[in-house]
Amino acid sequence: MFNWIGIILLFPISILPESKVTLKGLDTSNYPNVKVEFHSESDLGMEESISIAERSSEVNQIVSQFRLRRNQEPNRIRFYVSLPSYQGAEDRNWFLQLARSLVEIVEGANGESILHIQSDTKLHLYEKIRTNELKTGFPYPKEPKAKGPIQVWRKLLDSIETKKDQDTVLLLVSFEEEWSDRFQIPEFAKELRDKHIKVLVLSPQTLEANKLVGYSNGEFYHISHKDTYAKLFQDLKGLVSPNYTIEYRSPWNFSKWDSNEIQVSIKNLDRSLNLEFEYELSFSKSLGMILRNPFVFFPVIIFLIALCFSALFYLRGYEYRSSVTELPIVSPSQESTDESLVYDRVYGETIEKANRDREIAAITKEPIPISGKSYAIGFLIRRDASGSSEKSSIRTNEFFLGRSERNHLVVRDPSVSLVHAKVKKVKGKFILFDCASDGGVYLNGKRLLRPKALHDLDEIQVGKTSFSFRGR
C-alpha cells in the first residue's frame, strides 16, 4: 500500500457534490399554517428562487408567501467508521489519519463518532471517539484479514441502535477487490434501509461495492483516487450542515377536521432543491395532534381516571342498594311474629352482614305451633375418635353451642363460630337453630336451612364436631 497521507493532506476542496435534500419534520398542527423542516447538503441561496406548490384533487395552487430560514444548530449525526485491521505501521498511520480527519468534521458539529475495527471473531467498537484520541498511542487492534466483510458489517449493524431525532451515517472502508460473501449484499442492504442508515462505501471500483451502494441508496468513493477524499469530506460536511425550515400558509385553507390529501412540491431554479411529500387532514389525525399537546393530554387523562373511579363507586353503590332492596324489611312490630320468618331474613343476608348485624336470629314472643315430637328431657352426646363419649343435658329453654366460653356447650373446634347453633325448647319440642354461623349446621347430613324440631337419634354436625340427640 502506498502513502495515502499526502493524498489526504493535499486534497482540493473545490469539488461541489450533487445536492441531496431530506425531509426531517412536518408540522400541520396549526393548519392552514404549515411548517416543514428539511436538510440540504448544499446552500440554497436566495429565497426568491424557491417555489412551493400544493396539489389536491388534480388541481395545483401556488403558495404566494412563505418564510425560509436556516437553523442555528448543526445537524447532529452518529457517525460509524468501519476500518480494516492494519498490516504494517504505514497502514496503521494512514487509517488513524483518515479517521481523525473524519471525526474532526463530526466533532465540530457536536456529533458522535464510533470507530469499528473489522474482525471475523471479535466486535471492536470504540464509542464516542474524539480527535485527540486518534494519535500514535491509540490502541489499534491487529487482526487477521476478514474473510467475509459483509458478515463482519452485519454484526456491526446488529449493534447499531438508530434514533428518530438523529441521523446515522456508516462509512465502510475496504481494500478487497472481491468479497467472498457477496451473496449477502441484498439482505444487508435491506437491513440498512430498514434502519434508515446513510451508507458511504470507500473501496476499489468493484461490482460488489457498486451493488451495495445501489441497493442501499448510498454513496461510493474510489479509494485510489485522490479527488475521492475531497468529495467524501465535502459530503460529510454537508451531512452535518444545519437544517432549513420553511413556514407557509396553505392556499387551500381546508378544515382540518375534514378528510383531504395534499401533495407538496418545493423546488428552486437550479434544481438543488427538489423536495416532494404529502400530508393528510382528517378528524382522527387532528384529534391526535391536540391530544399530543401535554397541556391537553394530562388534564384529559386525569378527567377520564376520575370519571372511571366515579363510575365504579356508583355501580358498587347501585349493586349494594339492589341487594338490600331484595331483602324483606322487618319493622320492630314485625319482629314479634313468626320466629322462622325472622330467621329467613337473617339467612337472606350475606354471611358478612349477618355476622356484623347480629350473631343470633331474633327470638319471637309468640311463635306459631311447630310440628314434632315432644320430650320431657333432651341431651346431646358427643363422641370422639377414641370411642369415648360426653353427654350434655339440655336444661335451659335456650341451649347454645359454640366456641365461646359463654355457651352452654363449648366446642373447641377452630371451624366452629363463637356462637354457632342453639337448641330451644318450645312446649316440649326441641328446636334446632343455626345462629348465622360461618360453616352452617348439618342435620342428618343435610344443611339446616330453617329451624327444625329434633327427633330421637338425630345426628347434628357443627364444624368438624358431631353430636347425637337423645329425647326421653
Side-chain angles (χ1 to χ4, degrees):
M1 184 184 302
F2 54 88
N3 191 345
W4 296 94
I5 300 177
I7 296 177
I8 295 176
L9 297 178
L10 300 176
F11 68 86
I13 60 173
S14 60
I15 299 177
L16 296 178
E18 180 184 356
S19 176
K20 297 176 182 61
V21 181
T22 307
L23 180 66
K24 303 290 292 184
L26 176 64
D27 183 9
T28 59
S29 58
N30 295 322
Y31 186 84
N33 295 320
V34 180
K35 181 185 292 187
V36 182
E37 183 177 1
F38 61 93
H39 180 78
S40 175
E41 298 181 16
S42 61
D43 191 359
L44 296 182
M46 300 296 293
E47 181 178 301
E48 292 76 9
S49 64
I50 298 176
S51 64
I52 304 175
E54 286 196 344
R55 183 180 182 87
S56 178
S57 301
E58 304 301 325
V59 178
N60 283 334
Q61 287 207 44
I62 303 299
V63 176
S64 58
Q65 293 184 346
F66 61 89
R67 185 165 68 95
L68 173 68
R69 59 182 173 86
R70 191 166 190 174
N71 300 346
Q72 298 295 327
E73 296 295 327
N75 182 34
R76 298 178 65 249
I77 67 173
R78 298 184 73 202
F79 183 57
Y80 286 81
V81 184
S82 178
L83 297 175
S85 181
Y86 65 92
Q87 301 297 319
E90 186 178 357
D91 296 345
R92 184 179 185 276
N93 292 334
W94 184 84
F95 287 137
L96 289 175
Q97 177 70 21
L98 172 64
R100 184 162 57 249
S101 301
L102 296 169
V103 171
E104 184 177 7
I105 297 174
V106 178
E107 186 178 336
N110 298 323
E112 179 183 349
S113 298
I114 300 95
L115 182 62
H116 170 247
I117 307 301
Q118 299 164 17
S119 170
D120 287 324
T121 57
K122 298 181 181 179
L123 181 63
H124 295 286
L125 275 182
Y126 298 89
E127 304 279 349
K128 298 181 180 179
I129 289 293
R130 310 297 293 180
T131 306
N132 55 7
E133 299 176 28
L134 297 172
K135 296 180 180 179
T136 307
F138 182 79
Y140 201 122
K142 187 174 183 180
E143 292 282 344
K145 183 185 299 184
K147 297 179 181 179
I150 300 296
Q151 187 64 30
V152 173
W153 291 331
R154 292 185 72 177
K155 290 181 182 179
L156 168 63
L157 184 61
D158 292 339
S159 67
I160 297 177
E161 295 183 1
T162 56
K163 300 180 180 179
K164 291 184 178 180
D165 58 342
Q166 194 173 16
D167 292 338
T168 302
V169 181
L170 174 60
L171 173 63
L172 306 176
V173 181
S174 173
F175 287 98
E176 301 301 319
E177 297 286 346
E178 182 178 352
W179 297 346
S180 60
D181 53 353
R182 53 185 174 275
F183 61 89
Q184 299 186 34
I185 289 177
E187 189 173 355
F188 177 50
K190 181 180 182 301
E191 293 172 356
L192 291 168
R193 294 195 306 271
D194 292 341
K195 284 195 171 186
H196 303 287
I197 295 178
K198 176 73 173 179
V199 182
L200 311 177
V201 178
L202 178 62
S203 73
Q205 184 78 43
T206 62
L207 179 62
E208 290 88 344
N210 290 331
K211 286 175 64 176
L212 177 58
V213 169
Y215 291 163
S216 61
N217 299 324
E219 295 292 334
F220 173 77
Y221 304 91
H222 201 302
I223 199 167
S224 61
H225 292 175
K226 68 176 183 178
D227 292 344
T228 288
Y229 298 92
K231 186 175 187 303
L232 172 61
F233 295 141
Q234 192 68 29
D235 287 351
L236 187 58
K237 290 179 181 179
L239 290 172
V240 299
S241 62
N243 297 330
Y244 287 89
T245 300
I246 287 182
E247 298 180 33
Y248 68 92
R249 184 179 181 86
S250 173
W252 294 104
N253 202 20
F254 292 130
S255 170
K256 61 181 179 181
W257 304 103
D258 295 334
S259 296
N260 289 287
E261 291 185 359
I262 302 173
Q263 291 82 35
V264 183
S265 176
I266 303 177
K267 299 181 180 180
N268 62 356
L269 295 178
D270 60 2
R271 299 183 180 275
S272 60
L273 172 60
N274 186 7
L275 182 63
E276 295 184 352
F277 59 91
E278 66 178 27
Y279 62 90
E280 179 183 358
L281 301 175
S282 66
F283 177 84
S284 59
K285 287 186 175 294
S286 300
L287 182 61
M289 289 180 182
I290 293 176
L291 293 179
R292 279 197 292 269
N293 186 341
F295 295 101
V296 177
F297 176 77
F298 289 108
V300 169
I301 291 297
I302 294 173
F303 171 76
L304 291 177
I305 292 175
L307 185 64
C308 290
F309 275 109
S310 301
L312 290 175
F313 278 111
Y314 173 79
L315 293 175
R316 183 179 180 185
Y318 176 78
E319 180 181 359
Y320 173 75
R321 290 194 300 272
S322 300
S323 62
V324 170
T325 54
E326 292 175 359
L327 299 174
I329 301 175
V330 180
S331 64
S333 61
Q334 291 173 321
E335 288 187 356
S336 62
T337 61
D338 185 9
E339 183 177 11
S340 61
L341 294 178
V342 176
Y343 198 70
D344 284 342
R345 181 170 68 86
V346 175
Y347 265 100
E349 298 171 339
T350 61
I351 293 177
E352 292 81 1
K353 191 173 188 305
N355 289 335
R356 185 172 60 251
D357 294 342
R358 60 185 58 80
E359 293 183 352
I360 305 173
I363 304 174
T364 61
K365 296 181 179 179
E366 298 179 357
I368 62 175
I370 301 177
S371 61
K373 190 175 181 180
S374 299
Y375 299 99
I377 59 172
F379 49 89
L380 297 176
I381 301 174
R382 173 170 50 183
R383 293 184 177 86
D384 56 22
S386 63
S388 59
S389 62
E390 179 183 351
K391 183 188 296 185
S392 301
S393 298
I394 303 175
R395 299 180 182 276
T396 61
N397 289 335
E398 289 186 340
F399 185 86
F400 290 94
L401 297 83
R403 191 157 41 87
S404 174
E405 297 291 339
R406 296 184 178 182
N407 292 288
H408 298 91
L409 177 55
V410 179
V411 183
R412 304 189 187 283
D413 184 345
S415 61
V416 174
S417 301
L418 293 175
V419 180
H420 200 105
K422 76 172 180 178
V423 178
K424 181 178 180 181
K425 188 175 181 181
V426 181
K427 295 180 180 181
K429 300 178 180 64
F430 292 85
I431 313 300
L432 179 62
F433 289 83
D434 184 353
C435 298
S437 63
D438 293 335
V441 178
Y442 290 83
L443 178 61
N444 298 324
K446 296 183 179 180
R447 182 158 184 167
L448 185 68
L449 299 180
R450 61 182 61 251
K452 287 187 178 181
L454 293 173
H455 295 79
D456 190 30
L457 299 179
D458 276 351
E459 293 290 333
I460 303 170
Q461 182 178 348
V462 292
K464 298 180 180 180
T465 307
S466 299
F467 300 90
S468 293
F469 173 78
R470 300 305 305 267
R472 295 289 186 268

